[in-house]
Amino acid sequence: MTTSARTINEILETVRASPTYLNLWSAFKRIQGMALPPPDDPQRTVRIAVIGSSTLEPLAACLDTLLRLEGFHPVTLVGGFNTYRQEALSSNSVLTEHRPDVVILNVDLWSMLDRAFISECVKMSPDMRLELVRKCVDELTVIAKALVQNLSATVLLSNFIVPVFTPFGIADNKLRSGLRELFTEANRALAEAFLNEGRVLVVDLDSIASDFGKSRVVNWNTWYRGTIPYGEDFTVHLAREYTRYFRALKGRSKKCIVLDLDNTLWGGIIGEDGFEGIKLGNTSPGLEYVDFQRALLSLYNRGVILAVDSKNNPEDAMKVIREHPYQVLREEHFAALRINWQSKVQNIVELAEEIGIGLDSMVFIDDNPHERELVRQGCPDVMVVDLPKNPHLYRATIEQLSVFDVLAITKEDLERGSMYAGRRKRTELESQSASLEEFLRTLELKVHIKRADAFTTPRIVQLINKTNQFNVTTRRYTEVEVRSMSSSADSIVYGMSVTDRFGDEGLVGVGILKKRDNRWWIDSFLMSCRVIGRSVETALLVKMVSDAQAQGATEVYGEFIPTKKNAPAKDFFEQHGFELVSADDKGTRVFVLRLTEKKLAVPEWIQLIEE
């Protein structure tokens, strides 16, 4: 570890122990004052620009430090005071030179209206008030679209905080175009304007402020002294909300919740209280656990994986899961279960392997603080939730756990639960088969491969940015970059979908073929762990090699760039007849497939469907 890295770690340890506004701000200033080399890890580097209508450096400072606490390497630019129009509309500004991955556009509606609006709006007609606000929304929409046109960044556009004060008093909601209705209408119009624009995400600042308490959002001392829009505590609160977008953008959101059973999914201990004695019903005590399970089911239905890690007799626990009339989460909702008497740490390691995700994608929930501490120490990459003692607070705890975000909910997200149920059935079938080939021949595998289009690109981008294990290069690309490659004559982007007798896995594989110096290279090749072991990767590789050959290629090159997680892909090229060309001291290896010497074929048990 370098001296500067050690110094940053020491600074962040202080913040981690006490993440106050002053500590976050101080850490930002100290780190900015260091002569740091440019970050060299593209997976962790994120270039940020914060622009808007007021003094936003405190918000940028808190966000920068919070992202460092999560392992990112932010490179942050703060725009000038109220210069966001010039910065956005110019194609040759400090903003464009910064080449941000993410632009935070935070503009106060009051700054866009005439300063006399608050006092004069009472005398205006409803149509005049509405027209003024619509002009502001239109202008902000133009600015956000200019950012999309001039940059390759994702834009996080804040909506407006609906004011608590209104000069119309309690009659405000009895008027057409009352003040609060105007702000609400502006927020609706912003959301509508960017509903189908994947690169502009409207941040619901009004809801964030409501959750925090609108009367505490502004510190009037710092507002009048420095036009700082938010008080210290709300600045930290808002910066934390922004980190959710960065986790999702970089594929760092959590994917799986591992649950204890006794006193977690139901009240009491099934081995002692019995089937009829546990607390699970439509009145309290019991309703708390039902509501907790319903909250978990809502996450399951949008794509979060559920698993069980419980010290119990399997027969007792499964009887509740299968037969209890008030049990919400049934067997089919769990991707995997470990109900036994062995260490929960060992169970979690096995669950991660069975589900095919990393330990850092898992969240552990258990009522027992002793078990939580064992998991915290035994699996430091797993996020351990401190479940409150009072089950009345279980539901609130899971609802406030904002670590499962995705930028768009795809068809695959909505069907993930049934996909994992199908996976369990496949595992059972495999255990009954005499050989792997016999097992594969019974699956009735169909592989659909088509080039990226407007419908598949969001899922392709999602896979590119979150797939870690079966990923030969782990190169991350934005939606803009994927669309650019898709439309180029020198590159091809493929999406692979898989179905079998147990169901539709959806789009689970991505390949990117690029032409470099008149040679065709496999720039990216990645696949969801859900379909590893079914030889479907060979079908995608055959299609890519075949297309390169049709373009005149006699050789196809591939790279393996090692990371901490992509060991499952390390032998991919060798297993398909590629020859090693070179290797460097970081472990990166380059391979070539000579098409005059080697022919690849789709396995007999796979029906390849090219679209």
Side-chain angles (χ1 to χ4, degrees):
M1 184 181 287
T2 64
T3 303
S4 58
R6 275 198 298 274
T7 304
I8 291 176
N9 276 345
E10 290 170 5
I11 293 171
L12 294 180
E13 277 306 310
T14 302
V15 183
R16 193 171 281 111
S18 179
T20 63
Y21 171 83
L22 286 178
N23 281 343
L24 291 164
W25 173 264
S26 172
F28 174 74
K29 285 297 184 183
R30 289 178 66 189
I31 293 171
Q32 293 296 307
M34 296 170 64
L36 295 174
D40 59 358
D41 184 347
Q43 293 184 49
R44 293 180 178 273
T45 301
V46 57
R47 302 182 69 82
I48 310 166
V50 182
I51 62 174
S53 57
S54 51
T55 303
L56 293 170
E57 188 175 11
L59 176 63
C62 290
L63 175 61
D64 184 290
T65 307
L66 287 171
L67 289 174
R68 288 184 190 279
L69 288 174
E70 298 207 10
F72 291 102
H73 299 162
V75 182
T76 302
L77 169 77
V78 185
F81 177 80
N82 207 23
T83 58
Y84 64 94
R85 294 180 181 86
Q86 301 93 306
E87 289 159 344
L89 298 175
S90 171
S91 58
N92 185 27
S93 65
V94 175
L95 179 63
T96 53
E97 289 176 9
H98 184 61
R99 294 177 291 105
D101 302 308
V102 177
V103 176
I104 292 176
L105 178 56
N106 186 298
V107 177
D108 184 359
L109 183 56
W110 291 112
S111 73
M112 304 180 78
L113 294 163
D114 187 284
R115 294 174 70 89
F117 182 81
I118 187 66
S119 53
E120 299 301 315
C121 67
V122 178
K123 296 188 291 185
M124 295 177 183
S125 70
D127 288 342
M128 187 182 297
R129 291 195 294 265
L130 186 60
E131 181 62 21
L132 283 173
V133 170
R134 281 180 175 166
K135 282 182 179 176
C136 295
V137 172
D138 290 346
E139 182 188 354
L140 196 55
T141 301
V142 168
I143 290 168
K145 289 183 176 177
L147 288 169
V148 170
Q149 184 174 349
N150 293 332
L151 303 168
S152 60
T154 297
V155 179
L156 303 183
L157 169 62
S158 299
N159 69 9
F160 309 116
I161 298 177
V162 178
V164 175
F165 169 77
T166 163
F168 299 110
I170 59 174
D172 188 89
N173 62 1
K174 299 293 288 184
L175 297 171
R176 190 163 64 85
S177 298
L179 191 65
R180 293 187 188 121
E181 183 187 326
L182 283 176
F183 275 69
T184 302
E185 170 61 21
N187 288 343
R188 189 204 59 75
L190 276 181
E192 184 71 24
F194 297 105
L195 190 62
N196 297 314
E197 172 52 73
R199 287 176 53 206
V200 179
L201 304 171
V202 178
V203 177
D204 194 353
L205 181 60
D206 182 56
S207 290
I208 296 169
S210 296
D211 178 50
F212 181 82
K214 288 184 178 179
S215 61
R216 299 188 296 128
V217 165
V218 179
N219 178 332
W220 294 108
N221 288 324
T222 53
W223 168 254
Y224 284 113
R225 287 175 186 160
T227 325
I228 298 172
Y230 311 123
E232 291 84 348
D233 290 344
F234 184 69
T235 298
V236 176
H237 182 76
L238 180 57
R240 288 190 190 283
E241 288 293 318
Y242 278 123
T243 62
R244 299 172 62 175
Y245 290 87
F246 288 85
R247 282 189 220 113
L249 277 166
K250 286 291 187 178
R252 303 280 295 276
S253 295
K254 304 298 181 185
K255 300 174 183 173
C256 174
I257 303 174
V258 181
L259 294 151
D260 175 44
L261 296 178
D262 288 338
N263 286 317
T264 300
L265 282 195
W266 54 72
I269 300 171
I270 184 61
E272 297 178 3
D273 300 312
F275 187 81
E276 291 81 12
I278 60 171
K279 299 180 181 68
L280 198 60
N282 57 7
T283 57
S284 182
L287 180 60
E288 302 88 334
Y289 298 95
V290 170
D291 280 352
F292 179 53
Q293 291 196 34
R294 285 179 178 144
L296 290 163
L297 182 60
S298 71
L299 292 175
Y300 165 88
N301 283 336
R302 50 147 278 202
V304 177
I305 304 164
L306 302 181
V308 168
D309 182 359
S310 170
K311 287 182 176 176
N312 248 313
N313 290 323
E315 299 78 15
D316 296 338
M318 291 308 297
K319 182 176 174 61
V320 178
I321 291 173
R322 289 170 178 157
E323 300 177 22
H324 198 287
Y326 294 104
Q327 174 72 12
V328 176
L329 296 173
R330 299 295 186 182
E331 190 173 359
E332 64 267 24
H333 296 126
F334 298 108
L337 302 96
R338 288 291 182 280
I339 303 173
N340 52 40
W341 295 101
Q342 71 177 17
S343 154
K344 291 196 176 184
V345 171
Q346 180 61 32
N347 279 341
I348 286 183
V349 172
E350 292 178 8
L351 286 168
E353 184 176 350
E354 180 177 338
I355 297 168
I357 59 174
L359 289 169
D360 60 355
S361 296
M362 303 180 102
V363 173
F364 179 63
I365 296 181
D366 193 315
D367 71 296
N368 187 327
H370 174 71
E371 295 290 356
R372 295 201 298 261
E373 189 56 30
L374 287 174
V375 170
R376 199 173 272 124
Q377 292 183 18
C379 299
D381 288 339
V382 174
M383 178 181 178
V384 178
V385 177
D386 284 323
L387 201 62
K389 291 182 179 178
N390 186 348
H392 293 175
L393 302 176
Y394 282 12
R395 172 184 166 183
T397 300
I398 197 70
E399 289 178 347
Q400 291 167 9
L401 204 58
S402 53
V403 294
F404 303 107
D405 294 295
V406 292
L407 296 180
I409 296 177
T410 64
K411 171 176 172 283
E412 283 75 15
D413 293 324
L414 296 175
E415 296 178 357
R416 184 165 292 121
S418 59
M419 291 173 184
Y420 275 97
R423 180 177 177 152
R424 277 219 318 275
K425 293 175 183 174
R426 284 184 203 96
T427 303
E428 293 167 7
L429 175 64
E430 185 175 6
S431 66
Q432 298 164 8
S433 302
S435 68
L436 177 60
E437 184 171 328
E438 179 187 308
F439 163 66
L440 292 172
R441 286 182 184 280
T442 61
L443 284 182
E444 302 168 14
L445 277 162
K446 293 179 182 175
V447 172
H448 303 250
I449 298 175
K450 64 184 292 187
R451 297 191 183 194
D453 59 24
F455 296 103
T456 57
T457 294
R459 172 60 179 167
I460 286 172
V461 173
Q462 189 185 63
L463 277 175
I464 286 173
N465 288 294
K466 77 174 189 178
T467 303
N468 296 311
Q469 297 191 75
F470 199 98
N471 192 337
V472 294
T473 56
T474 321
R475 291 190 173 107
R476 308 301 196 191
Y477 291 114
T478 65
E479 186 166 332
V480 174
E481 291 167 325
V482 170
R483 290 187 191 281
S484 174
M485 288 187 285
S486 301
S487 60
S488 168
D490 291 333
S491 56
I492 306 172
V493 181
Y494 300 89
M496 175 181 74
S497 303
V498 175
T499 61
D500 67 14
R501 57 184 281 198
F502 293 109
D504 184 352
E505 296 281 9
L507 201 158
V508 287
V510 174
I512 300 176
L513 199 57
K514 282 188 176 179
K515 193 175 185 180
R516 297 187 208 163
D517 302 326
N518 293 320
R519 294 175 174 173
W520 284 92
W521 287 69
I522 296 172
D523 174 271
S524 299
F525 194 103
L526 54 108
M527 195 172 67
S528 168
C529 292
R530 291 205 308 270
V531 292
I532 284 180
R534 282 186 254 172
S535 64
V536 293
E537 65 274 19
T538 301
L540 177 56
L541 183 62
V542 168
K543 172 61 178 169
M544 294 172 72
V545 169
S546 173
D547 283 355
Q549 195 165 21
Q551 298 278 344
T554 57
E555 296 176 334
V556 174
Y557 289 79
E559 296 166 275
F560 176 75
I561 302 173
T563 68
K564 290 181 180 177
K565 296 183 176 179
N566 69 347
K570 69 182 175 61
D571 299 325
F572 172 67
F573 290 115
E574 290 156 304
Q575 289 169 349
H576 289 86
F578 283 64
E579 298 171 27
L580 181 66
V581 174
S582 65
D584 65 20
D585 55 3
K586 292 183 178 178
T588 297
R589 292 177 292 155
V590 176
F591 300 87
V592 64
L593 183 70
R594 304 185 198 287
L595 303 182
T596 54
E597 302 171 7
K598 182 74 178 177
K599 301 291 182 187
L600 298 181
V602 177
E604 293 175 13
W605 47 84
I606 291 178
Q607 180 184 354
L608 176 60
I609 302 167
E610 301 176 41
E611 300 178 30

